[in-house]
Amino acid sequence: ALLAGMIAPGTWLRTPEPPRDFRRLATATAIAFESTRTGPFTLAGAWEMTGHRKQFGGFSALVTLDGDRFLAGSDTGRRLVFERPDRSTLPGVLERFGDDQASRKEGRDLESLAIDPASGTVWGGYEFRKSIIRFHADLRVDEEVSPPLMRDWGGNSGAEALVRFADGRFLVIEERPLRWRESRHVALLFATDPIEDAEPESVRVDIPGGYRPVDATPLEDGRALILLRRLALGIPPGFETAIAVIDIDRRTADGRIPARLLAEFGTAIPQDNYEGMTITDDADGRHVWLISDDNFMALQRTLLLKLRWDQREKARKATRAPFDPA
C-alpha cells in the first residue's frame, strides 16, 4: 500500500509540457564573386544562406534592426533574425512571424517590412490578406488593418513594397501594374501609421523598363530606394534586378511619382530572385543589402549581397575585378 501511494502521484502530478520550439538555425557562407561596379554600386560581399530544409527560404522582405542585425520575412510566415555576416559568424534564428498563423499560405504570405528605428516597431505587408500588420519591438502581433483601397489589389501581387519614412509617412506599392506592360503601379501614401490613418492617399508610382517593384527602403527627405525585378526569358527562365530612387514629394504634372533608375545589374551580380533590400550606414560608407527568394526550388538559392553605394557617382557601365572571400 505504501509503495502504491508513493507511485500513484506520478500518474497525475506531471511537469507542464514545455512550449514547442519552432526556431531553426541558419548559417551564412561566403561565396566567391567578382567585385563588379554597376552605376554607383559596387558588389562588396556575397553569401549563401542555408537552414532547415523544409522551412528555410522564401524571403521577400528585409530590414535593419540595428547596425549589426537584420530581420528577413518570408512568404511562408516566418522570420529570420541574423547578424551581419561581414561582422559575425553567429547563426541566425528562424521562427514563426507573429502569434496568429493561418494554416494556409494565403494567410501568411508576408511580402514587405518596414521599421521605426527609434521604437523598434515593425510593420508587415501581407499579399493575400491585403492587409498591414503592426508588430511590437519584440515582434509580437499588435494590430492589423485592411485598407479599403487595397481590396482590389492582386492576390499574388499586393503590398509588395512597404516603406516608412523618417517623418512618419508610409508608402505601400502594389507589384502588379495598372495594365499589362504598363509602367504605372497603384500605391497608398499614409500620413502616419497605417493602423491609425484610415484615409490614405491613392497615388501612382511610375516604374520604368518593364520592371516591377518588390521592396523599398527609406532614404532622407521623402526619398526611397525601390528594388525592381523583371522576368528574363530563357532556359531556364531567370530574373533581372535593378534599383531605382523615388521622391514622394516630387511628382509629375499629372500627379505620378516617377522612379529613376540608378542601376540595372544584368549579370553583374549573381542572378537570382532578389526580393528584399535594406541599407546600413557604416564607418566606411553606405551599403545596400539584397536578399533573394529561392521559392523553395532547387535551382535557386538564398543569397545575401552587400553593395557599396557611392552616392557621388552617376550611372555607368559595369566593370569587373576578381575577388575571392577566401
Side-chain angles (χ1 to χ4, degrees):
L2 180 60
L3 180 60
M6 293 174 63
I7 296 176
T11 63
W12 54 272
L13 289 177
R14 298 179 182 270
T15 303
E17 183 179 350
R20 296 180 64 187
D21 188 355
F22 291 96
R23 298 182 303 169
R24 298 289 188 270
L25 298 183
T27 59
T29 303
I31 60 175
F33 64 93
E34 293 182 333
S35 183
T36 307
R37 187 184 191 93
T38 309
F41 302 104
T42 301
L43 184 58
W47 296 263
E48 180 175 359
M49 305 191 70
T50 55
H52 188 273
R53 182 174 60 86
K54 292 184 178 180
Q55 298 178 0
F56 184 86
F59 296 108
S60 53
L62 185 68
V63 292
T64 303
L65 292 178
D66 50 49
D68 294 309
R69 293 187 306 148
F70 295 131
L71 166 66
S74 82
D75 54 18
T76 58
R78 289 183 171 85
R79 68 177 189 248
L80 175 67
V81 176
F82 61 102
E83 306 279 336
R84 286 177 52 156
D86 60 342
R87 296 181 177 179
S88 173
T89 58
L90 292 175
V93 176
L94 180 73
E95 53 191 323
R96 286 183 171 181
F97 210 136
D99 307 317
D100 179 19
Q101 291 294 320
S103 59
R104 299 177 60 192
K105 181 179 186 293
E106 286 84 347
R108 45 189 168 85
D109 190 358
L110 175 72
E111 288 294 333
S112 53
L113 289 170
I115 189 169
D116 176 5
S119 67
T121 302
V122 172
W123 293 260
Y126 284 78
E127 193 167 56
F128 288 99
R129 291 167 73 152
K130 302 179 183 180
S131 69
I132 297 173
I133 296 180
R134 184 172 66 193
F135 299 87
H136 296 286
D138 61 3
L139 302 179
R140 290 181 298 109
V141 172
D142 184 7
E143 294 190 52
E144 179 175 3
V145 64
S146 298
L149 291 175
M150 289 174 58
R151 288 174 184 168
D152 294 331
W153 288 19
N156 195 34
S157 63
E160 193 74 21
L162 176 65
V163 58
R164 178 192 181 275
F165 298 93
D167 61 7
R169 289 181 291 176
F170 285 75
L171 181 72
V172 58
I173 311 173
E174 183 184 15
E175 179 188 4
R176 180 185 63 179
L178 277 170
R179 296 180 181 86
W180 176 250
R181 300 184 67 85
E182 188 178 322
S183 62
R184 291 179 301 163
H185 293 253
V186 177
L188 299 183
L189 181 60
F190 296 85
T192 184
D193 186 336
I195 305 298
E196 313 296 339
D197 184 2
E199 297 182 355
E201 178 186 3
S202 180
V203 297
R204 303 289 185 267
V205 178
D206 205 349
I207 305 294
Y211 289 99
R212 291 190 174 194
V214 290
D215 205 9
T217 191
L219 302 172
E220 301 79 15
D221 304 322
R223 296 181 301 128
L225 287 186
I226 307 294
L227 178 62
L228 306 177
R229 177 186 61 190
R230 182 172 66 189
L231 181 65
L233 298 179
I235 303 176
F239 300 93
E240 296 176 342
T241 299
I243 294 178
V245 63
I246 63 169
D247 187 334
I248 58 175
D249 295 318
R250 293 190 177 184
R251 307 187 189 183
T252 61
D254 59 359
R256 289 177 292 114
I257 300 174
R260 178 172 61 88
L261 282 174
L262 295 180
E264 296 181 272
F265 292 98
T267 59
I269 60 176
Q271 286 187 291
D272 216 303
N273 181 29
Y274 296 99
E275 286 202 34
M277 175 175 64
T278 192
I279 287 177
T280 58
D281 288 304
D282 307 314
D284 59 343
R286 174 168 279 187
H287 295 97
V288 175
W289 297 76
L290 307 180
I291 194 169
S292 67
D293 176 357
D294 68 353
N295 293 306
F296 296 95
M297 297 179 64
L299 294 177
Q300 294 177 245
R301 299 178 290 174
T302 298
L303 299 180
L304 181 72
L305 303 185
K306 176 184 178 182
L307 306 173
R308 184 178 299 110
W309 184 12
D310 186 349
Q311 296 174 267
R312 300 169 300 177
E313 293 292 326
K314 297 181 179 180
R316 61 176 68 179
K317 293 183 179 179
T319 58
R320 293 181 175 86
F323 180 88
D324 190 325

